[in-house]
Amino acid sequence: MSTHRVDQGGVSTYRVFINGRWRDAESGNTFDSVDPSSGAAWARVPRCDGRDVAEATRAAYDAAFNGPWARMRATERGRWLRRMGDALAADVERLAQFECRDNGKRLSEVRAQFADLPEYFYYFAGLADKFEGSVIPIDKADTFNYTVWEPYGVVAAITPWNSPLALLTWKVAPALAAGNTVVIKPSEHASASTLELMHTFEKIGLPDGVLNVVTGFGDEVGDPLVADEHVARISFTGSGAVGKRIATRAAALLKRVTLELGGKSAQLVFADADMEQAVRGIVAGIFVSNGQSCVAGSRLLVQETHHDAFVQKLLASIKGLRAGDPREASTQIGPIANEPQFERLQREVDSARAEGARCVAGGTPLKGSDGGWYFAPTVFVDVTPEMGVARRELFGPVLSVMRFRDEDDAVSIANTHELGLAAGVWTRDVSRALRMARRLQAGTVYVNTYRGVAPQSPCGGYKDSGWGRENGIEAIREFLQLKSVWIGLSDMADPFPRSAAHSRT
Ligand code: NAD
């Protein structure tokens, strides 16, 4: 029998993973995890609190500074990361089934996403022993000075519900490669795949305390984790509201934070674009994953000469998309991941109508969905940049369409937003593509493509979309700090020299 989960009467009861062992929450309480395709509870997840957090961070601290992980050479850490990648690769199908059940993302999409995740472990495995310090030629003949990159110690990794394992991988792989240990707090709406991944990693025998998971709610687990004295570095992916709260608390405690927050990404379609390609890119950007993606291209800006024709093409392409069980290969539209999000979408769509935006597709829950939280792909036209539907991140399958005159107008509309996660440009003019890439205020700009990610390429937000970067070489720097080491080569000089020109203030 597995120790991480007990299956009884059609319901799975999970345990949390702390210091290499599975156990119940200290409180003994659990909360339900609900299958969004049916609205039925399928699992119980431990409802942790500050006591579990304290145990997890103590274990992580001990592992970071005293255990075998602390003494391990970077090359050996790289080997562990490769083993993690191999273990994940061998378990893609099982893990994908759990995540699909937990957050309702289409199984085929989750499978494809998970099949790529081992590459992130391999990439950061390779980087583990590439961070070289320097010998600094300081102006003191009798002193040798060098620098060395070191881990912070314990990293708190806090993740949202939309892509739990992918977003977790983007934190855990670089944090471990840098030599830290990690306490993970997954979303209360989708914790199962994270616990299942720990079960996968447990089999390779990582030293105790290197990876720990505490499950539960933001105020009961997230708050104490952020404030915990053993946590030196916080890496958060989620909403702007929670990100700001974490940043404020972390600032008071002088903790360093990486924030991957929301987006309201604009896709710009110019008159010279390949319109068929652009339609596919717009659909991929907002309706695949139900818009529950941080880079969802939720604002569509079309050059006014081609606006009406483009909208017609777009509407034709989403007509008849098949909604259904996310496990079925033929399903194109799965459920919304959780009930609060589903209810919020209905409120937002009503409010968009009240503001004067015209709904030309969807705008309602889908009929005949047997208790699941399905919402029709929704398109609003006659949207102006000031409307709430064009301003708020809805994190759902709702597209706001606006018109622009020329490049300046497009850039102005796209950039007049406090978020700057991603942007898309559709044009066949290479000079325009380069001009737009330069002018758009977003951490990622896609041209004639959308939604790509790769372990080698940094991603993150401009403006209020976040601080710091994930993926690419920059990501590992987020988890390293620089130490300067001074070594005297001759006897100590007179502590009271007549000139203090070179002493430290
Ligand atoms: P959320 O902010 O509500 O929750 C994210 C995580 O924070 C959850 O684990 C939650 O329990 C935890 N949390 C809540 N309160 C906390 C607190 N006080 N202290 C510490 N942790 C706390 O976000 P969500 O609804 O789960 O996810 C959707 C959001 O995530 C969207 O805004 C989306 O754009 C964003 N997102 C961003 C990226 C990116 O890479 N930039 C990727 C995916 C999702």
Side-chain angles (χ1 to χ4, degrees):
M1 193 184 76
S2 164
T3 51
H4 76 294
R5 192 186 80 225
V6 176
D7 299 328
Q8 213 171 25
V11 175
S12 301
T13 303
Y14 280 97
R15 297 194 171 107
V16 280
F17 191 63
I18 297 176
N19 204 15
R21 278 171 286 285
W22 294 99
R23 67 162 181 75
D24 297 331
E26 200 62 50
S27 65
N29 296 333
T30 59
F31 58 95
D32 285 345
S33 206
V34 177
D35 179 341
S37 68
S38 65
W42 72 276
R44 294 192 192 106
V45 177
R47 184 166 178 168
C48 295
D49 58 29
R51 292 169 290 176
D52 307 281
V53 169
E55 192 181 330
T57 58
R58 255 196 317 271
Y61 188 86
D62 202 42
F65 292 103
N66 302 317
W69 190 253
R71 293 186 290 275
M72 197 178 284
R73 299 292 90 209
T75 310
E76 180 61 16
R77 282 203 308 273
R79 283 190 204 110
W80 277 107
L81 271 114
R82 277 195 288 280
R83 278 176 219 136
M84 294 169 84
D86 290 347
L88 204 166
D91 223 1
V92 161
E93 182 57 29
R94 192 184 73 82
L95 292 167
Q97 295 277 353
F98 278 102
E99 190 155 302
C100 168
R101 186 161 199 193
D102 219 16
N103 74 357
K105 190 180 268 201
R106 287 178 312 110
L107 184 57
S108 53
E109 194 184 348
V110 186
R111 263 190 203 124
Q113 192 181 54
F114 286 10
D116 270 354
L117 293 187
E119 297 303 329
Y120 291 79
F121 283 95
Y122 303 146
Y123 175 78
F124 287 107
L127 277 182
D129 59 6
K130 306 295 182 295
F131 276 78
E132 298 167 356
S134 309
V135 173
I136 313 285
I138 56 171
D139 58 349
K140 292 176 189 298
D142 58 352
T143 310
F144 181 70
N145 179 242
Y146 67 92
T147 58
V148 58
W149 289 99
E150 293 190 334
Y152 282 90
V154 179
V155 171
I158 304 175
T159 54
W161 45 260
N162 62 318
S163 285
L165 289 201
L167 298 169
L168 172 67
T169 295
W170 295 4
K171 299 181 188 313
V172 164
L176 293 185
N180 300 279
T181 59
V182 186
V183 177
I184 302 162
K185 187 236 167 286
S187 167
E188 59 275 29
H189 294 297
S191 308
S193 57
T194 300
L195 294 167
E196 293 291 346
L197 181 65
M198 292 309 111
H199 179 56
T200 303
F201 288 159
E202 185 193 9
K203 295 176 211 155
I204 63 173
L206 264 176
D208 291 350
V210 170
L211 273 184
N212 310 271
V213 181
V214 281
T215 50
F217 296 90
D219 54 346
E220 294 174 356
V221 176
D223 275 337
L225 182 58
V226 166
D228 190 280
E229 59 178 335
H230 293 113
V231 170
R233 191 75 178 77
I234 299 157
S235 181
F236 170 78
T237 301
S239 63
V242 175
K244 282 179 189 159
R245 179 185 167 99
I246 289 175
T248 305
R249 300 199 72 209
L253 296 163
L254 291 181
K255 295 189 187 202
R256 288 155 184 82
V257 191
T258 303
L259 299 172
E260 290 288 339
L261 308 177
K264 190 74 185 178
S265 300
Q267 292 239 51
L268 281 51
V269 179
F270 285 90
D272 65 11
D274 177 332
M275 295 297 173
E276 304 299 328
Q277 290 298 317
V279 164
R280 282 194 208 124
I282 304 307
V283 171
I286 186 70
F287 297 127
V288 174
S289 301
N290 269 328
Q292 301 174 133
S293 158
C294 54
V295 296
S298 51
R299 291 188 296 155
L300 169 60
L301 278 54
V302 187
Q303 197 152 18
E304 58 190 4
T305 49
H306 288 60
H307 173 278
D308 294 353
F310 189 80
V311 169
Q312 288 315 314
K313 263 187 200 304
L314 180 71
L315 294 180
S317 82
I318 61 171
K319 199 170 174 199
L321 287 178
R322 281 180 302 281
D325 188 327
R327 285 155 283 244
E328 294 291 332
S330 60
T331 294
Q332 291 164 304
I333 302 293
I336 302 300
N338 55 66
E339 196 169 21
Q341 184 60 14
F342 177 66
E343 287 174 351
R344 182 178 166 221
L345 279 175
Q346 298 180 62
R347 286 195 302 274
E348 290 285 0
V349 162
D350 291 345
S351 142
R353 284 198 177 98
E355 286 180 305
R358 189 157 54 90
C359 186
V360 290
T364 52
L366 281 172
K367 291 194 178 71
S369 42
D370 293 341
W373 302 313
Y374 288 82
F375 205 85
T378 298
V379 179
F380 280 103
V381 295
D382 299 343
V383 175
T384 59
E386 308 73 40
M387 289 180 180
V389 72
R391 302 220 58 80
R392 288 191 288 277
E393 182 193 36
L394 306 190
F395 220 53
V398 180
L399 182 66
S400 295
V401 189
M402 289 170 270
R403 300 163 191 261
F404 67 85
R405 283 187 309 280
D406 52 22
E407 284 184 17
D408 286 346
D409 195 28
V411 168
S412 162
I413 297 170
N415 286 347
T416 308
H417 199 286
E418 62 275 16
L419 298 175
L421 195 60
V425 180
W426 297 87
T427 178
R428 279 190 272 215
D429 177 340
V430 69
S431 305
R432 167 174 287 150
L434 290 167
R435 281 194 299 274
M436 290 297 104
R438 186 182 288 173
R439 296 182 68 188
L440 288 166
Q441 294 164 4
T444 302
V445 175
Y446 297 105
V447 178
N448 297 334
T449 182
Y450 204 74
R451 274 191 91 198
V453 285
Q456 302 81 4
S457 183
C459 64
Y462 273 27
K463 302 194 279 188
D464 291 6
S465 285
W467 291 346
R469 289 293 174 270
E470 295 198 307
N471 301 330
I473 293 174
E474 302 311 320
I476 197 167
R477 284 194 206 280
E478 303 269 327
F479 298 107
L480 287 165
Q481 52 189 339
L482 193 61
K483 179 181 278 177
S484 174
V485 182
W486 292 62
I487 300 174
L489 303 177
S490 55
D491 292 345
M492 276 295 290
D494 176 358
F496 300 103
R498 262 167 292 181
S499 156
H502 296 296
S503 63
R504 191 163 173 170
T505 51

